[in-house]
Amino acid sequence: MHYMRKDLGKQAAVFPMPVLMVAAYDQNGTVQVMNAAWGQVAASDKIALFISESHATTKAIRQTGAFTVSIADVDHMDVADYFGIATGNTLPDKFAQSGYHAVRSEHVNAPIITEFPVTIECELAEVVQTDNIHAVVGTVVNVSADEKVLSENGKVDPQKLNALAFDNFQSGYYVVNQKVGQAWNAGKELAQKAQQAHKE
């Protein structure tokens, strides 16, 4: 069967992308928060956020040296999207206007937005700036989660979390909650066959 491929032009489009709520206190103690899709695990204890320095949240992170990253879920999609639309640079009380609540992390000087079920608490490790990237890198100090999204083994259960995924192609939000396999198991049989064939 012959499949036709069509060139779609130049676009930085990877799917799925996370929907991350990045929050920090600014120098006045005000909660600054933004919606970021360009974020990823950078090492076993590092989170990298590819966010520009013009954001009010980025400025706040530089001021206080700490931030939190919450995973947005489908139940809070409207406010998560609002945090991406409104800018703290022109709306100083952006967070207060959302009606959501924040408590200070017990581990870092940064706010935990209590409505979002999973939050990664970080100390600022470094800001990387080159001709190609601007990255805010955090050292993970703690992860806190609402008990309602934990499985019996005490770990976050993605099927309970109902995390949002961002679609970079058409700017859609999707829900990630269906498990289809287990890592380091789904391809094990193929790996064993390849190993056997290599020996022969």
Side-chain angles (χ1 to χ4, degrees):
M1 187 181 290
H2 182 62
Y3 292 99
M4 293 295 293
R5 295 184 69 88
K6 182 179 179 182
D7 288 341
L8 300 178
K10 188 194 300 185
Q11 51 182 311
V14 173
F15 179 81
M17 296 288 284
V19 180
L20 306 174
M21 301 295 103
V22 183
Y25 291 120
D26 64 18
Q27 58 193 0
N28 302 315
T30 302
V31 175
Q32 298 293 344
V33 58
M34 66 177 287
N35 179 325
W38 297 0
Q40 190 51 269
V41 171
S44 60
D45 68 338
K46 296 288 187 294
I47 296 282
L49 304 171
F50 302 99
I51 53 178
S52 72
E53 55 188 330
S54 62
H55 292 292
T57 305
T58 310
K59 295 170 189 171
I61 291 170
R62 283 178 174 268
Q63 288 165 0
T64 54
F67 61 94
T68 60
V69 178
S70 294
I71 298 173
D73 60 332
V74 67
D75 288 344
H76 304 99
M77 178 174 64
D78 54 348
V79 173
D81 194 55
Y82 159 75
F83 286 151
I85 296 169
T87 170
N89 288 323
T90 57
L91 191 66
D93 59 346
K94 167 182 167 178
F95 178 71
Q97 291 287 345
S98 73
Y100 274 23
H101 307 86
V103 297
R104 187 180 299 273
S105 161
E106 294 180 8
H107 303 275
V108 299
N109 181 25
I112 293 175
I113 301 172
T114 56
E115 281 76 7
F116 295 113
V118 177
T119 302
I120 303 158
E121 302 158 57
C122 302
E123 295 279 7
L124 177 62
E126 65 174 320
V127 177
V128 180
Q129 188 153 14
T130 73
D131 289 342
N132 297 301
I133 64 168
H134 182 277
V136 173
V137 183
T139 300
V140 177
V141 176
N142 183 56
V143 175
S144 59
D146 191 312
E147 289 184 353
K148 70 182 180 184
V149 300
L150 301 181
S151 57
E152 289 181 5
N153 64 6
K155 295 182 179 181
V156 173
D157 183 343
Q159 294 179 101
K160 293 180 178 179
L161 177 57
N162 291 317
L164 291 177
F166 179 67
D167 148 37
N168 240 351
F169 293 101
Q170 301 190 45
S171 300
Y173 289 124
Y174 290 77
V175 180
V176 182
N177 62 5
Q178 182 184 358
K179 183 176 180 179
V180 296
Q182 188 73 24
W184 297 285
N185 181 272
K188 192 159 70 173
E189 188 178 332
L190 188 58
Q192 288 170 343
K193 283 183 181 177
Q195 189 68 32
Q196 190 60 38
H198 178 70
K199 287 177 181 175
E200 293 170 359

